[in-house]
């Protein structure tokens, strides 16, 4: 009986693996829709001036790059699929992504949030949209790097979170260094 109660409690906790990316991406998409409700405010992204806005031609209107914008939903779906897989394949003897709730929820949420963040750029073609898009990818890469390093070197969660945070924040600081190659004007 105790074993069944424990199993049900663990199953309820694992539900957060799916709920976290679902709620965060839904809220992000609603915020993005609200931000663009009357058109997009803010300076144009530098790619507009350079005529190098990735692969789709820039258009006037509410969604400046419709195909690029809507295809960003693939990240939301990928994050949710990863979350469902992690929730169903819980293994207490596995690594962080198999045995915990926090790590699969975090990676699925970050992956899902790349979608709305990229949509911010492709829908608005604004400088702030480009920053949000870039930051989302920095966070994902930093977390994956920290997760891999912590697995390789046997680091605890404190070191993992520290490396992930530094990896996400340091690239932002580089943008303020005059003459640095990734500085955005």
């Amino acid at each position: 009986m105790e074993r069944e109660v424990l199993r049900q409690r663990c199953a309820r906790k694992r539900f957060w693996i799916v709920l976290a990316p679902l709620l965060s991406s839904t809220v992000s998409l609603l915020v993005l829709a609200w931000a663009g409700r009357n058109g997009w405010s803010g300076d144009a992204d530098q790619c507009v001036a350079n005529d190098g806005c990735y692969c789709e031609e820039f258009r006037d209107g509410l969604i400046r790059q419709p195909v690029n914008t809507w295809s960003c939903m693939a990240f939301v779906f990928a994050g949710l699929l990863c979350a469902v897989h992690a929730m169903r394949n819980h293994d207490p003897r596995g690594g962080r992504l198999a045995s915990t709730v926090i790590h699969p929820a975090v990676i699925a949420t970050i992956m899902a949030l790349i979608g709305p963040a990229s949509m911010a750029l492709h829908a608005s073609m604004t400088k702030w949209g480009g920053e949000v898009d870039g930051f989302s990818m920095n966070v994902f890469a930093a977390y994956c790097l920290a997760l891999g390093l912590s697995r390789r070197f046997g680091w605890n969660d404190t070191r993992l979170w520290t490396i992930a945070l530094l990896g996400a924040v340091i690239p932002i600081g580089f943008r303020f260094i005059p003459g640095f190659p990734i500085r955005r004007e």
Side-chain angles (χ1 to χ4, degrees), residues 152-168:
R152 171 68 176 98
F153 297 112
W155 293 344
N156 62 17
D157 275 359
T158 303
R159 188 169 283 179
L160 182 150
W161 293 115
T162 302
I163 297 298
L165 181 64
L166 289 173

Side-chain angles (χ1 to χ4, degrees), residues 170-183:
I170 287 174
I172 294 169
F174 286 152
R175 292 187 175 157
F176 295 100
I177 299 172
F180 199 78
I182 62 170
R183 181 181 164 93

Side-chain angles (χ1 to χ4, degrees), residues 52-80:
C53 294
Y54 314 102
C55 55
E56 186 177 358
E57 187 175 326
F58 178 84
R59 299 178 179 143
D60 290 330
L62 186 59
I63 298 178
R64 309 285 167 81
Q65 291 184 328
V67 174
N68 283 353
T69 299
W70 293 114
S71 66
C72 293
M73 286 299 292
F75 288 102
V76 175
F77 296 132
L80 292 172

Side-chain angles (χ1 to χ4, degrees), residues 56-176:
E56 186 177 358
E57 187 175 326
F58 178 84
R59 299 178 179 143
D60 290 330
L62 186 59
I63 298 178
R64 309 285 167 81
Q65 291 184 328
V67 174
N68 283 353
T69 299
W70 293 114
S71 66
C72 293
M73 286 299 292
F75 288 102
V76 175
F77 296 132
L80 292 172
L81 286 173
C82 287
V84 168
H85 175 77
M87 185 180 81
R88 288 183 176 169
N89 294 296
H90 179 77
D91 182 1
R93 297 162 298 170
R96 284 183 172 100
L97 290 176
S99 65
T100 67
V101 171
I102 187 73
H103 292 287
V106 167
I107 201 161
T109 299
I110 294 170
M111 186 182 301
L113 288 176
I114 290 174
S118 292
M119 291 173 91
L121 170 63
H122 295 293
S124 71
M125 295 312 300
T126 59
K127 184 176 179 179
W128 66 263
E131 295 293 335
V132 170
D133 182 29
F135 181 70
S136 72
M137 289 182 262
N138 287 346
V139 170
F140 184 74
Y143 183 77
C144 290
L145 177 66
L147 195 60
L149 289 172
S150 67
R151 181 177 179 189
R152 171 68 176 98
F153 297 112
W155 293 344
N156 62 17
D157 275 359
T158 303
R159 188 169 283 179
L160 182 150
W161 293 115
T162 302
I163 297 298
L165 181 64
L166 289 173
V169 173
I170 287 174
I172 294 169
F174 286 152
R175 292 187 175 157
F176 295 100

Side-chain angles (χ1 to χ4, degrees), residues 41-59:
S41 60
D43 296 334
D45 190 81
Q46 68 183 11
C47 76
V48 175
N50 298 340
D51 197 29
C53 294
Y54 314 102
C55 55
E56 186 177 358
E57 187 175 326
F58 178 84
R59 299 178 179 143

Side-chain angles (χ1 to χ4, degrees), residues 5 7-16:
V5 170
R7 190 188 67 72
Q8 288 176 354
R9 216 178 278 160
C10 287
R12 281 194 301 268
K13 286 181 183 178
R14 286 194 316 269
F15 183 69
W16 279 102

